[in-house]
Amino acid sequence: MNISGVARLWISLFILMMNGGVTMVQAKSPIAYDADMAKEICTSLPLENVEGLWLYPEDKVTVLILRNNEDISGNLPAYNISVVETADASLRPGDLIGTLEATTDENTFKIHLSTEKHNDLLLKPKSCIATLSKDGDTFTFKRQKSPFKGRLNFNFSRLLPGFWKVISAGVYSPTGTSKVEAPVGMVKLYPSYDGNGSSRRKVRYL
């Protein structure tokens, strides 16, 4: 690479850093490009409760969550989140869109997801709290608590706009009440609780 090429590379890296950074996710766990492949991967591995195929219905995105065994950032486990199927034209199957980090509470996690995509780079990761249900079938997302009494609405993302509604919060009314919205979350598709693909959230017809 000549000097001008090196200079262009450093300039590109500088622009990316100024633009909010690149999502620091590497392909250290298997990647699935469709639901069948994701199920095959899940079947071949000893899975933890949070691992598997998950659906985020707000944005019609199916993701595969698998532990990143090569992560050495801390003692608590971390997991990669990759796209399997999506209705969002900005995303493609195989895209590593974020990470899930365990906390000292076994049912509470930190989820980090990219909010923008430029060419093939996933940028500007944002975070929120993900709570795993006792039965392990659902994740509920909550914004991190702010020390301020008032709350503002932000529109961070171009990717997964439904997901990032969790960052928005209702404005307090003069009576002290706030807008109440239904919980936002993900539903586990595979492995299912009974091994037959059934969900506790759907009626099962005999």
Side-chain angles (χ1 to χ4, degrees):
M1 183 181 294
N2 57 33
I3 295 177
S4 61
V6 173
R8 285 196 299 270
L9 176 61
W10 279 107
I11 291 172
S12 298
L13 291 173
F14 177 76
I15 291 173
L16 287 174
M17 292 174 63
M18 295 299 293
N19 196 33
V22 179
T23 302
M24 302 305 291
V25 182
Q26 297 180 9
K28 296 179 180 179
S29 54
I31 299 297
Y33 296 95
D34 57 51
D36 289 337
M37 186 182 295
K39 291 177 181 179
E40 288 179 6
I41 291 171
C42 291
T43 301
S44 68
L45 298 172
L47 298 180
E48 299 176 23
N49 205 21
V50 299
E51 294 180 286
L53 194 62
W54 293 81
L55 169 68
Y56 182 65
E58 290 282 340
D59 289 309
K60 297 181 176 61
V61 175
T62 304
V63 299
L64 180 62
I65 298 179
L66 291 176
R67 182 162 179 169
N68 181 355
N69 292 315
E70 297 184 32
D71 182 82
I72 57 173
S73 59
N75 295 323
L76 295 173
Y79 308 83
N80 285 342
I81 304 173
S82 61
V83 175
V84 176
E85 295 176 346
T86 177
D88 186 344
S90 300
L91 292 170
R92 296 178 300 183
D95 279 345
L96 285 160
I97 58 172
T99 58
L100 190 71
E101 295 178 3
T103 69
T104 53
D105 182 339
E106 64 179 2
N107 292 320
T108 302
F109 298 79
K110 292 180 180 179
I111 188 168
H112 312 278
L113 288 178
S114 300
T115 61
E116 293 185 12
K117 186 174 184 179
H118 180 68
N119 296 327
D120 288 330
L121 295 175
L122 293 162
L123 308 170
K124 296 188 177 180
K126 299 291 182 182
S127 305
C128 69
I129 300 299
T131 302
L132 185 67
S133 63
K134 291 182 179 180
D135 58 23
D137 276 0
T138 61
F139 263 124
T140 301
F141 304 129
K142 296 181 180 179
R143 72 186 186 92
Q144 296 184 8
K145 292 183 178 179
S146 167
F148 300 103
K149 189 173 182 179
R151 292 183 289 178
L152 299 176
N153 291 307
F154 298 95
N155 181 17
F156 287 128
S157 70
R158 295 178 182 173
L159 296 178
L160 306 176
F163 176 90
W164 288 110
K165 279 166 44 179
V166 72
I167 300 299
S168 291
V171 178
Y172 286 106
S173 70
T175 61
T177 60
S178 62
K179 182 180 178 182
V180 177
E181 296 184 356
V184 177
M186 290 194 300
V187 178
K188 195 169 193 177
L189 299 178
Y190 189 86
S192 60
Y193 76 99
D194 64 354
N196 294 317
S198 300
S199 169
R200 292 186 177 94
R201 271 66 191 175
K202 293 182 179 180
V203 177
R204 183 173 181 177
Y205 298 96
L206 299 177

